[in-house]
Amino acid sequence: MSLQSNPAKVVFHLRQGYNASVIDDPIRVNKFIAQHLHIGRRAADDLINDGKVMLNGSAPSLGARVSPDDVVVVDGTRIHAAATPLTYLLIDKPTGYVCSRRQQGDTPTIYQLLKPEHQHLKAVGRLDKDSSGILLLTNDGDYAHQLTHPSFAKTKRYEVALDRPLAPLHRQMISDHGITLPDGPSKLQLERQHDDNDHAWIVAMHEGRNRQIRRTFAALGYEVTALRRTNFGPFSLHDLGDAKQRIIPKPA
C-alpha cells in the first residue's frame, strides 16, 4: 500500500509486521511518523495537516504525543509502535551516477551500487551526476534534516578543478562579496589545493543549493571540470579508508 502527501507528491511504502525496539517514552506524533515512514518531519506534518493521520481514532494536533499503547493510523494503515532500526551508510559516490531512486534515461542510479538491505535508505545532501565524493544514506529523517538545513550551518568541503586559472578579482568577488544567482547570493570560501595552481581549489560552504558551486563559477565564465566532496558535516572520505561503502554507528 502506498501513502501520498499531496503538497509534496511523495509516495511512501510501509513495511508491516516489522518489529525492532519498542518506544518506551512518549514522542511527538510527527517524529513517530517520520521515523517509521523514513521521511522528514515537514512531510510528516503535511500528512497530519491533510487529515491523513489518526491517533486512537481521532485527528491529532502537531504536538500530540505517542505512547507504546497508542494506535497510529496513516491513510488507513496502522503503524505499530515498534521503531525501525536507524541505519547510516557512507559511500564514495563515483561520477556518472544520479542520487535519485529512478534511473534517468541511460544514467545509472546510486541504488544500483547498494546491497538489497540498503535500498530503503535516502541520500542526504545529493551530488549531481558529474560530481563524486562522500555521501550519507540513512532512514533517520531527523538527522538528515540536521545535516542539510541551513540553520545548522554544517560545513561541506569540495575539491574543485576549473577549465582555466581563477583570476584574483574573481576569487575576491566569490569569497568576500558573493555572486548573485537567480535563487540568491552565493558566497564560497576558497583555498588553493596547491601553491601556484589557480586551476584547483578547495571550496567550503554551509549551504547546498542545486549545483551551486558550478553555477557560481559559471556566472563568471568558468567551467567546473571536476568536483569531489571530501567532507560533509562530521563525515570525511577518510572515514571510508579503502572501502567504497561503510555502515557507521549513529553519529553523536
Side-chain angles (χ1 to χ4, degrees), residues 6-222:
N6 288 336
K9 299 294 184 184
V10 179
V11 177
F12 312 106
H13 297 282
L14 294 178
R15 294 188 294 167
Q16 293 178 292
Y18 184 84
N19 285 322
S21 58
V22 178
I23 60 173
D24 295 319
D25 300 318
I27 62 174
R28 289 171 66 97
V29 65
N30 61 348
K31 180 177 181 179
F32 177 86
I33 293 170
Q35 287 179 348
H36 288 73
L37 300 187
H38 314 309
I39 61 176
R41 289 202 196 181
R42 287 187 180 180
D45 289 344
D46 289 340
L47 290 172
I48 296 170
N49 289 328
D50 289 347
K52 296 179 179 293
V53 177
M54 301 294 286
L55 174 60
N56 298 327
S58 302
S61 65
L62 291 177
R65 291 184 174 271
V66 178
S67 297
D69 295 331
D70 289 333
V71 176
V72 179
V73 176
V74 181
D75 252 3
T77 298
R78 180 176 177 178
I79 305 176
H80 296 279
T84 302
L86 298 177
T87 302
Y88 308 86
L89 174 67
L90 284 181
I91 73 170
D92 183 355
K93 176 197 171 296
T95 57
Y97 288 79
V98 294
C99 290
S100 61
R101 294 185 183 276
R102 182 176 299 178
Q103 187 167 331
Q104 301 176 10
D106 295 329
T107 304
T109 168
I110 57 169
Y111 288 90
Q112 295 172 238
L113 304 174
L114 305 184
K115 296 178 180 179
E117 61 265 31
H118 298 150
Q119 293 294 317
H120 68 290
L121 303 178
K122 290 182 63 177
V124 181
R126 295 182 175 189
L127 291 166
D128 63 41
K129 177 177 72 72
D130 299 318
S131 301
S132 65
I134 193 75
L135 182 68
L136 175 72
L137 294 101
T138 183
N139 56 348
D140 187 342
D142 284 342
Y143 189 70
H145 176 72
Q146 293 176 27
L147 273 183
T148 55
H149 196 276
S151 63
F152 293 95
K154 299 295 185 182
T155 300
K156 306 172 185 68
R157 198 174 300 274
Y158 304 80
E159 293 178 350
V160 174
L162 303 177
D163 62 335
R164 59 191 178 90
L166 181 65
L169 175 61
H170 290 160
R171 177 184 182 181
Q172 184 179 13
M173 291 171 63
I174 294 172
S175 298
D176 296 345
H177 308 290
I179 302 300
T180 300
L181 302 176
D183 55 349
S186 175
K187 189 175 180 180
L188 310 175
Q189 300 172 22
L190 301 179
E191 177 185 348
R192 287 186 182 88
Q193 290 188 37
H194 310 285
D195 291 340
D196 301 323
N197 184 349
D198 289 334
H199 285 85
W201 295 87
I202 296 172
V203 177
M205 60 193 299
H206 298 297
E207 296 182 271
R209 306 199 310 261
N210 184 41
R211 299 177 69 86
Q212 182 178 347
I213 294 176
R214 295 181 186 277
R215 292 189 293 123
T216 299
F217 284 106
L220 296 173
Y222 299 87

